Amino acid sequence: MRRKETIGVRDGAGGYRAVKDAVRRYARRLAGAILAAVFLVCPAMPSWADETATASDAVAAVVIEYENLSELVWNSQDLKDATENYTTNKSNYETLIAQLEDERDYMRLLADQYEDTEDEAQYKSSANAITSTLTQLRKRLATLNRRANSVSTSKTVDSYIQAAQTLMIAYNQAILNAEAAEKSAEAAEASYHATVNKQSAGMATAAEVLEAADTMQQLKNMASSYRQQAASARFALLSQFDLTDSDSVTIGTVPAPDLEAIASADLAADVESAVNNNSSVQSARKSGSGDTYAQEALLDEAEAQTEASVRSSFADLYQQLQAARLTYESALDTYESAAITWQSAQLKQQAGMYDNTAWLEAQADYLQALADKESASMDLVQQWENYCWTVQGVG
């Protein structure tokens, strides 16, 4: 990911995008924000520190790289303690589920209020995304209850790695979206002042001024929300490694998706591995034999149903992976078009063909295309990680 790329413009000329488009983007990314909240409930990661560190190195720079998350987890000194903290985790999951249920109900209420408008589908989509997240949370809570204190250290470490990956992705997505929203808000503010000046000259109405002011404020609120999401994800990630948040701690970027590995995924073989590694299936298979033919039949039926459920869930996961791949390819095409348009925008700016508002809008448009591309890239990485972890029986 290249967070410091030069900013640019959307394809074609035109005025500043309506705030509804920004709100729709915010709704589409609600699921990503929810995922960041989900992993705030994970138990705090036991202490980790560089064994070579000394008292004089207390403020030494720390860089958390995506590729090294596994190493950071395995270097924890008190991992055993973390495997015993199930009661607190159960309460945290239950609290978060209740909060997300309220958020889902609110999205449904908005969908009803905006029925038969173009915003209805976005609110329904957000409600569906939250419902999907709730389903995963309930599954994790059920798994937590089943495993109790019998969870192996290896599986616990894997769950910490998975949580850290999700938090790191959520942090990077929020940062990119915040930068794009902040530039959009800056452009909206310039547009607002321009509208005020037009009103003074009798070229704009009071209603147009109010609309411009509302657009500006909503975009500022959106930018602030993304910053808060980034701060929450950063705090949760650092807490997992018992790191104090400071300027000396840097969270690295998320690598690009491995398209070759994704394309070579063997669904038939992977689903069998997912079934065999699934804790519920393993538990069903270890339930023993019944004392009677009827009891034996019931146990066999329960095992078959559990396996069928895992197969169905894995098939859904595979479809989500393929959908994320197509979304990424589409976002990449859009970004490449925006990059070409940016080159033209630079020439126009040098030639004095843009006023301040138009130039800010051009920058905001490209930043949004960049954020969309990188967010889609990280979504694909996340889906691939989920796929791989499920194959291993984690999650």
Side-chain angles (χ1 to χ4, degrees):
M1 184 179 70
R2 300 186 299 278
R3 185 180 303 155
K4 296 184 179 180
E5 294 186 55
T6 309
I7 50 182
V9 66
R10 68 184 174 201
D11 190 10
Y16 180 70
R17 67 166 58 86
V19 68
K20 287 185 178 179
D21 293 332
V23 173
R24 291 192 195 101
R25 288 194 300 272
Y26 180 78
R28 287 196 297 269
R29 295 192 181 93
L30 184 58
I34 294 168
L35 281 175
V38 167
F39 285 96
L40 290 178
V41 304
C42 290
M45 174 59 62
S47 299
W48 169 80
D50 187 347
E51 294 180 356
T52 63
T54 65
S56 61
D57 297 325
V59 294
V62 176
V63 180
I64 299 176
E65 298 288 0
Y66 190 87
E67 296 85 349
N68 296 334
L69 291 176
S70 176
E71 179 183 351
L72 294 178
V73 171
W74 275 108
N75 281 341
S76 300
Q77 300 301 307
D78 303 310
L79 185 61
K80 183 176 181 296
D81 293 339
T83 65
E84 300 173 356
N85 191 20
Y86 287 98
T87 301
T88 300
N89 277 321
K90 179 180 178 180
S91 176
N92 288 341
Y93 270 108
E94 291 171 342
T95 299
L96 184 57
I97 286 172
Q99 293 173 345
L100 291 181
E101 286 174 341
D102 289 341
E103 184 67 21
R104 177 203 57 198
D105 293 342
Y106 180 59
M107 288 296 107
R108 288 174 175 174
L109 176 62
L110 289 177
D112 290 339
Q113 290 179 348
Y114 288 90
E115 187 177 5
D116 297 329
T117 70
E118 58 184 2
D119 293 324
E120 178 185 7
Q122 294 299 332
Y123 290 124
K124 284 186 175 180
S125 176
S126 296
N128 291 337
I130 297 174
T131 299
S132 177
T133 299
L134 282 168
T135 299
Q136 295 302 317
L137 274 175
R138 292 187 181 109
K139 287 181 179 179
R140 290 185 178 228
L141 179 58
T143 299
L144 185 68
N145 291 332
R146 284 194 304 270
R147 292 183 177 180
N149 292 323
S150 64
V151 179
S152 67
T153 298
S154 176
K155 285 295 180 68
T156 301
V157 170
D158 288 343
S159 69
Y160 276 115
I161 296 172
Q162 184 184 29
Q165 288 172 339
T166 301
L167 282 169
M168 194 166 179
I169 288 172
Y171 170 79
N172 277 278
Q173 286 181 322
I175 287 294
L176 280 168
N177 290 326
E179 292 172 351
E182 285 165 354
K183 184 58 67 174
S184 293
E186 186 180 354
E189 185 170 7
S191 178
Y192 165 73
H193 290 304
T195 305
V196 171
N197 292 336
K198 288 181 180 179
Q199 183 190 32
S200 299
M203 300 173 61
T205 65
E208 289 173 329
V209 172
L210 289 174
E211 182 179 359
D214 183 60
T215 296
M216 174 183 66
Q217 189 58 51
Q218 291 198 48
L219 288 171
K220 286 183 176 180
N221 292 342
M222 186 181 300
S224 176
S225 177
Y226 281 131
R227 285 295 176 187
Q228 290 174 2
Q229 291 174 26
S232 295
R234 178 183 173 88
F235 175 80
L237 181 62
L238 268 56
S239 295
Q240 287 199 358
F241 302 120
D242 200 26
L243 294 173
T244 301
D245 196 355
S246 70
D247 293 339
S248 64
V249 180
T250 302
I251 299 177
T253 57
V254 178
D258 189 341
L259 298 179
E260 183 176 348
I262 294 172
S264 63
D266 186 343
L267 177 60
D270 290 341
V271 71
E272 294 304 320
S273 296
V275 169
N276 292 329
N277 292 328
N278 183 269
S279 61
S280 297
V281 173
Q282 291 173 351
S283 177
R285 289 173 177 175
K286 293 178 181 178
S287 59
S289 58
D291 296 331
T292 65
Y293 286 114
Q295 291 176 341
E296 185 76 23
L298 288 175
L299 290 173
D300 289 344
E301 181 181 359
E303 179 181 338
Q305 289 178 348
T306 302
E307 289 188 12
S309 176
V310 173
R311 292 180 188 279
S312 177
S313 296
F314 193 81
D316 291 341
L317 193 63
Y318 181 78
Q319 292 301 320
Q320 292 169 13
L321 174 64
Q322 298 308 313
R325 179 179 61 83
L326 293 175
T327 299
Y328 169 68
E329 292 173 351
S330 176
L332 185 60
D333 289 341
T334 300
Y335 169 75
E336 290 173 350
S337 176
I340 294 173
T341 304
W342 165 239
Q343 296 177 359
S344 174
Q346 285 181 305
L347 296 176
K348 291 180 179 179
Q349 170 67 3
Q350 293 171 3
M353 299 173 63
Y354 278 143
D355 60 20
N356 182 55
T357 300
W359 181 235
L360 288 172
E361 289 169 359
Q363 298 174 53
D365 287 338
Y366 178 79
L367 277 178
Q368 191 59 62
L370 174 63
D372 288 344
K373 186 258 291 187
E374 294 295 351
S375 290
S377 172
M378 286 183 274
D379 282 340
L380 181 54
V381 170
Q382 181 73 79
Q383 289 296 335
W384 177 239
E385 296 286 11
N386 291 343
Y387 181 93
C388 294
W389 283 121
T390 303
V391 170
Q392 299 176 52
V394 178

